[in-house]
Amino acid sequence: MLSTPQGLTKSQVNLLQVQHGFNELLVADKKTVFKLLFRILSEPTFALLLMAGTLYLVIGKIDDTLILFVFIFISVGITFFQERKSEKAIGALKALSSPRAIVVRDGITQRIASRDIVVGDILILEEGDRIPADALLLESHDLLVDESLLTGESEPVKMDEANHVHAGCMVVRGGSIAQVTAIGMQTELGKIGDSLKQIINVNSPLQDDIKILIKRFMIFGVALSIIVLIIYGLIHDNWLEGALTAISLTMALLPEEFTVILTVFMALGVWRISRQKVLTRYAPVIETLGSITALCVDKTGTLTLNTMSLEALATPEGILILHQKDSLINLAQRELLSYCILASAVKPFDPMEKAFHEKSYLVPEYQNLYGDYELVHEYGLSAELPAMTHLWRTQNSNECIVAIKGAPEVVLKRCNLTQTQKAVIERQIEDLASQGLRLLGIAKSQYIKHLSAWPDTLESFEFTWLGLVGLKDPIREEVPASIQKCHKAGIRVIMITGDHTITAQAIAKQAGIDSSKVLSGSDIDHLSDLELREVVKKISVYVRIKPTAKLRLVQALQANNEVVAMTGDGVNDAPALKAAHVGIAMGQRGTDVAREAASLVLLNDDFSSIVNTIQQGRQIYDNLHKAIIYVVAIHIPMAGAVFIPIIFGIPPILDPIHIVFLQMVIDPACAIVFEMEAPESNVMLKPPRSINQKLFSIKNISMALLQGAGLTFIVIGIYLTLLHMNYSHAVSTTLSFGCLVLGNISLIIVSRSKNDHIFKILQKTNPSQKWIIGIGIISFGFLVTIPFLRERFQFAEPSLEGALVIFASGFVGLVWYELVKLTYRRKWLG
């Protein structure tokens, strides 16, 4: 019997990796530290700060210039830290996005990252795999390889033993065993300078919208600043001070934090989702997760554990439940099990085939009878024929034994049976399927090879029915609770399986999916697109589904305005995965074709990970809402503190030095505090968000405007009142700036939740909040107590009365924020 080579040992692999490195192509680092710094410094805000520093020098305020540049350095450092943290989060996931490979090492078949392959490794190539390295075929079974990446030829090439296959090419059909001959830059792919697949970062619609919004703010800010410059210059006859005021207003109006927010939220969102054992291949899919209304999942391995155990053998004479009577297996049942093993892989990787081999001890004669046979040809699974056929023969013989296993109805059609025999088998199918067992039909044949070529189809074989095998694949313990969670979130779960109707209904019932109505793949074939659109509104269990039917299901659901997530693992699942709003490929058993077509890769093939990812997506978008509202709200009093005093002909409250101080609190607050905020208690109790819903909705903007207007009224009111009461400009500026700082801090706290009041929010932990708020308060304390800083900021020495004014204003601001939020709470909950 054929035996797979033992492969390299662990020590040999380690030595080869030290000598030759990893199986990866060299890619230039496009995001160096210097390039990142240059990009940060080229942001409009930092350009404005540099202009302000230059003006301070011209005016002669050297100390102010130094302080400003120190703040610029700190602000750049904060932004740089946040972006590098985001880059590291993405970088940590790149290894997960690379193709995987099945290798034999120390005699054990295992799946590894393709970068860990070394020269001499034994590869097991299967349909749908992207070939990870150049290799020599030791064995080939009906192998077709798509070499278009290297040759440009679209037609797959048939490969036999002694042929070479190359990295980057795709196995379209069949399978093989190969030995690696070249890795990394030594492969044909490496020689022509191609690059490895990496996590793809593309701009999302949200990112594009924010870029447009920032441009509009910039245009508006510059126009208003020119007006302020003219007014200030004409009234005070001081054009340099007017220019500083104009720069201050532009800085106050420009919400450059939006860019920071999106960079951090998207990158760390990808990282957080990876902790749910889900790889995000396209960051923009995070926006779509909260809009999913229909979740279509494969049964095997997603709803179930994919840990198959052989439970039953059914020959025409009767059914044997193995765990009850393992030792009582008769001759017909031994033949059935033997041919089941013959129709499976010699070195099984699939859990189902492993289950057959695990029971081989029940047929000791299997090794004796077929020990000298070798696998000479294979007919693989296909959408048209869901069955596996193996041909075996001894050396120097033309006589072959043929073993087939597949869907019972498919195998039955190829056997010559009477109506009575078929009726018995159908009763057995119904009996076993009602127990939730997955069933396969097994048959045998003989073939004498006279020609050099093998038959193209199975029509040349006359099969004899041997019986049924029943496999048990237990449902995952957490699945019922996860499905219930989906239903509460307004997400309909649809189960798709290749199993028999009765088996599917039994599993669906255990999982909590409505199984009162079932639709089969053949039923779908007979429905028009319009009819299918109506049917999918009511049915949640689909059986005997082919990949082409999956695509039609996705399209029918989308035609009903559903936002569809679809799981898949095979080559033919790729069109459905690509068509779905969120394609989810199986990471453990999925092909590389499926992984590349999907936007998410489920690393543990666990349904609960999908549900947790949807919750994570909702949380990310929810927190993004909070951060955006906060940023818009806090920029209103900043702009008002510059512009409104000008109208009254008095100096503005804020200079560039004040604004850059505020931004050192605002930037980390919006990008760290809100990103780390725990999900709202009702995040999975709300219906899915409309996919067309805009982040900058009237509701969001109006709430931000009201909160910001309230703080503006408090800050400007205190400033004007104090000046009217003949307090010095320094005292008025100190207290109004203190009100703005405290108002900013209280706004951060209140904005952490759209539903909870302030006392409940304070009970929720957020690791970063105390640091951001503490640093903000302590820094302001330094500004008003250290003489050098106090002078630079034009502040006065603090008094007890002044502190009470600041705290009183903070309390009034807090009450105002809560009143605004209370007004909108019913809308949020809706």
Side-chain angles (χ1 to χ4, degrees):
M1 184 173 292
L2 179 75
S3 66
T4 308
Q6 293 293 301
L8 300 173
T9 64
K10 185 177 181 180
S11 58
Q12 287 175 320
V13 170
N14 291 337
L15 181 62
L16 286 165
Q17 285 181 341
V18 169
Q19 291 176 346
H20 304 292
F22 291 99
N23 179 36
E24 54 190 357
L25 303 181
L26 300 179
V27 181
D29 182 10
K30 297 180 180 178
K31 294 185 178 178
T32 63
V33 170
F34 294 109
K35 288 184 178 179
L36 180 57
L37 279 172
F38 178 77
R39 190 177 65 74
I40 292 171
L41 291 171
S42 62
E43 289 286 335
T45 300
F46 292 109
L48 291 169
L49 286 171
L50 291 172
M51 288 173 60
T54 304
L55 285 173
Y56 276 133
L57 278 175
V58 172
I59 293 171
K61 296 182 177 181
I62 298 175
D63 291 342
D64 289 358
T65 304
L66 292 175
I67 293 293
L68 184 62
F69 278 110
V70 168
F71 282 162
I72 291 174
F73 179 79
I74 295 172
S75 186
V76 169
I78 291 171
T79 306
F80 179 78
F81 169 77
Q82 291 168 338
E83 298 225 5
R84 286 295 287 179
K85 184 179 178 183
S86 302
E87 288 297 320
K88 287 178 181 178
I90 291 292
L93 300 174
K94 286 185 178 178
L96 297 176
S97 70
S98 67
R100 302 130 326 125
I102 301 173
V103 299
V104 180
R105 288 180 179 173
D106 292 313
I108 300 171
T109 303
Q110 52 191 288
R111 194 183 292 271
I112 63 171
S114 65
R115 74 184 297 269
D116 294 328
I117 288 172
V118 297
V119 173
D121 258 328
I122 301 298
L123 294 177
I124 308 295
L125 298 176
E126 297 178 342
E127 182 178 308
D129 287 349
R130 186 171 290 284
I131 299 169
D134 288 1
L136 175 67
L137 293 178
L138 304 178
E139 206 175 294
S140 173
H141 300 290
D142 196 28
L143 183 68
L144 284 181
V145 176
D146 178 1
E147 295 189 317
S148 58
L149 184 67
L150 290 176
T151 66
E153 296 294 331
S154 57
E155 286 297 316
V157 180
K158 185 172 177 58
M159 293 287 186
D160 297 311
E161 289 85 353
N163 286 152
H164 277 85
V165 290
H166 301 290
C169 298
M170 189 73 71
V171 178
V172 177
R173 191 180 73 192
S176 70
I177 299 172
Q179 186 168 32
V180 175
T181 57
I183 62 170
M185 297 304 292
Q186 301 305 312
T187 63
E188 292 300 314
L189 184 62
K191 290 174 184 176
I192 63 173
D194 212 324
S195 59
L196 286 175
K197 294 287 182 185
Q198 300 180 30
I199 291 176
I200 299 173
N201 298 309
V202 294
N203 278 349
S204 69
L206 180 58
Q207 288 170 315
D208 291 334
D209 288 347
I210 281 183
K211 283 185 177 180
I212 292 171
L213 191 72
I214 290 175
K215 286 181 181 178
R216 290 175 179 172
F217 266 97
M218 186 70 179
I219 293 169
F220 175 72
V222 169
L224 195 60
S225 298
I226 292 171
I227 295 172
V228 167
L229 171 61
I230 294 170
I231 292 173
Y232 196 102
L234 292 175
I235 293 176
H236 299 283
D237 195 26
N238 191 333
W239 294 93
L240 289 177
E241 289 287 352
L244 273 176
T245 303
I247 289 172
S248 300
L249 182 59
T250 305
M251 291 170 60
L253 282 171
L254 184 63
E256 92 292 341
E257 295 90 357
F258 288 162
T259 305
V260 177
I261 290 171
L262 279 176
T263 301
V264 173
F265 271 63
M266 289 300 175
L268 294 185
V270 168
W271 173 73
R272 290 189 187 280
I273 287 173
S274 75
R275 298 174 71 185
Q276 306 295 337
K277 301 297 182 184
V278 178
L279 170 67
T280 307
R281 296 191 69 248
Y282 304 102
V285 77
I286 293 173
E287 296 176 36
T288 313
L289 289 172
S291 300
I292 292 172
T293 60
L295 177 54
C296 304
V297 293
D298 290 313
K299 174 187 75 68
T300 303
T302 309
L303 299 179
T304 61
L305 288 169
N306 201 26
T307 53
M308 299 282 189
S309 60
L310 186 58
E311 295 288 308
L313 298 174
T315 61
E317 291 75 30
I319 298 174
L320 174 70
I321 304 301
L322 286 175
H323 68 271
Q324 296 174 353
K325 301 177 180 179
D326 268 8
S327 60
L328 301 179
I329 184 169
N330 62 32
L331 184 62
Q333 292 159 352
R334 287 201 294 270
E335 184 181 31
L336 169 61
L337 181 53
S338 294
Y339 270 83
C340 184
I341 296 171
L342 287 170
S344 303
V346 179
K347 291 284 186 179
F349 192 77
D350 181 86
M352 183 170 61
E353 296 187 334
K354 283 183 178 180
F356 300 143
H357 279 270
E358 285 169 1
K359 291 293 185 180
S360 62
Y361 68 89
L362 295 174
V363 282
E365 65 271 36
Y366 166 74
Q367 191 66 34
N368 297 328
L369 285 173
Y370 307 112
D372 295 331
Y373 280 74
E374 63 175 345
L375 180 62
V376 291
H377 195 62
E378 174 184 316
Y379 295 92
L381 290 165
S382 67
E384 296 73 27
L385 184 66
M388 177 74 75
T389 307
H390 284 176
L391 278 71
W392 299 79
R393 73 179 179 190
T394 56
Q395 288 185 351
N396 304 319
S397 172
N398 288 332
E399 290 189 16
C400 302
I401 59 172
V402 186
I404 184 173
K405 75 174 192 298
E409 62 271 22
V410 172
V411 179
L412 274 171
K413 286 180 181 178
R414 301 196 171 271
C415 300
N416 190 13
L417 297 167
T418 65
Q419 289 301 320
T420 303
Q421 290 172 321
K422 287 181 180 178
V424 170
I425 294 167
E426 286 169 359
R427 282 196 296 271
Q428 290 178 336
I429 290 172
E430 188 173 339
D431 183 11
L432 293 171
S434 65
Q435 300 174 44
L437 297 181
R438 183 174 185 179
L439 302 179
L440 293 176
I442 311 297
K444 68 176 183 177
S445 182
Q446 290 185 327
Y447 178 74
I448 299 176
K449 186 180 181 186
H450 297 295
L451 303 173
S452 59
W454 296 100
D456 292 332
T457 66
L458 299 182
E459 302 301 326
S460 301
F461 309 118
E462 294 182 4
F463 287 102
T464 301
W465 177 262
L466 294 177
L468 296 163
V469 292
L471 297 115
K472 184 178 181 181
D473 185 12
I475 193 168
R476 293 180 185 269
E477 185 179 345
E478 65 278 6
V479 160
S482 295
I483 288 177
Q484 188 178 23
K485 194 174 183 180
C486 283
H487 291 161
K488 288 180 179 178
I491 301 168
R492 180 176 157 216
V493 181
I494 297 171
M495 188 179 88
I496 298 173
T497 179
D499 282 346
H500 190 276
T501 299
I502 300 173
T503 303
Q505 286 179 309
I507 296 296
K509 187 175 181 181
Q510 294 176 43
I513 299 172
D514 179 16
S515 60
S516 57
K517 294 180 181 179
V518 176
L519 197 68
S520 70
S522 58
D523 293 333
I524 292 175
D525 291 339
H526 292 95
L527 293 175
S528 68
D529 290 344
L530 193 59
E531 290 170 331
L532 186 59
R533 280 183 60 181
E534 292 303 313
V535 167
V536 296
K537 293 177 181 178
K538 307 168 186 174
I539 297 178
S540 298
V541 176
Y542 297 85
V543 300
R544 296 300 195 220
I545 294 297
K546 298 177 182 178
T548 51
K550 274 190 173 184
L551 178 58
R552 286 196 67 199
L553 280 175
V554 170
Q555 292 170 336
L557 289 165
Q558 289 175 330
N560 291 336
N561 297 318
E562 301 268 16
V563 178
V564 183
M566 167 69 77
T567 68
D569 57 9
V571 176
N572 294 324
D573 288 336
L577 292 173
K578 200 78 174 175
H581 293 94
V582 180
I584 307 170
M586 300 297 104
Q588 292 184 338
R589 56 192 167 87
T591 61
D592 288 328
V593 177
R595 286 163 62 98
E596 290 173 16
S599 44
L600 297 176
V601 178
L602 195 60
L603 299 177
N604 60 357
D605 295 4
D606 186 348
F607 177 77
S608 64
S609 292
I610 301 176
V611 181
N612 292 337
T613 298
I614 292 173
Q615 177 173 326
Q616 192 77 57
R618 288 189 173 197
Q619 177 187 341
I620 291 168
Y621 201 87
D622 216 20
N623 289 343
L624 193 58
H625 263 220
K626 298 171 188 175
I628 294 294
I629 291 170
Y630 160 73
V631 168
V632 173
I634 195 59
H635 273 271
I636 291 168
M638 286 170 63
V642 178
F643 183 70
I644 294 176
I646 300 295
I647 297 174
F648 289 94
I650 55 179
I653 300 171
L654 302 180
D655 286 335
I657 197 170
H658 299 102
I659 292 174
V660 73
F661 172 83
L662 289 171
Q663 285 175 336
M664 285 194 298
V665 178
I666 295 169
D667 283 0
C670 65
I672 298 176
V673 173
F674 293 110
E675 196 282 327
M676 296 183 71
E677 186 60 32
E680 300 274 8
S681 58
N682 68 340
V683 71
M684 288 298 280
L685 298 176
K686 297 185 293 186
R689 188 187 73 254
S690 169
I691 199 167
N692 297 317
Q693 179 181 324
K694 295 292 185 183
L695 187 66
F696 298 98
S697 63
I698 293 175
K699 182 169 64 175
N700 290 346
I701 297 300
S702 61
M703 182 177 182
L705 290 175
L706 281 173
Q707 288 182 327
L711 183 55
T712 304
F713 182 81
I714 293 169
V715 171
I716 300 299
I718 288 175
Y719 182 62
L720 295 178
T721 301
L722 290 172
L723 288 177
H724 182 70
M725 294 172 65
N726 295 321
Y727 280 90
S728 67
H729 177 264
V731 170
S732 303
T733 302
T734 304
L735 297 187
S736 54
F737 187 78
C739 294
L740 185 54
V741 170
L742 191 58
N744 178 30
I745 289 170
S746 58
L747 184 59
I748 292 170
I749 299 171
V750 170
S751 299
R752 284 177 52 202
S753 175
K754 294 182 284 188
N755 304 321
D756 299 332
H757 53 71
I758 183 65
F759 299 108
K760 197 168 182 179
I761 292 172
L762 291 173
Q763 294 173 13
K764 294 165 61 178
T765 58
N766 186 313
S768 61
Q769 176 186 267
K770 59 184 178 182
W771 292 104
I772 301 298
I773 292 175
I775 290 170
I777 292 174
I778 292 170
S779 299
F780 177 69
F782 286 156
L783 297 185
V784 296
T785 56
I786 298 175
F788 174 74
L789 293 176
R790 188 168 64 232
E791 186 179 340
R792 302 285 74 73
F793 276 78
Q794 302 175 45
F795 287 160
E797 192 170 353
S799 63
L800 179 61
E801 293 82 0
L804 290 175
V805 169
I806 292 173
F807 282 115
S809 70
F811 176 75
V812 173
L814 197 61
V815 171
W816 172 250
Y817 304 147
E818 284 293 310
L819 287 173
V820 172
K821 196 163 70 173
L822 182 64
T823 305
Y824 280 80
R825 188 165 296 164
R826 185 171 297 177
K827 293 182 180 180
W828 288 125
L829 293 174

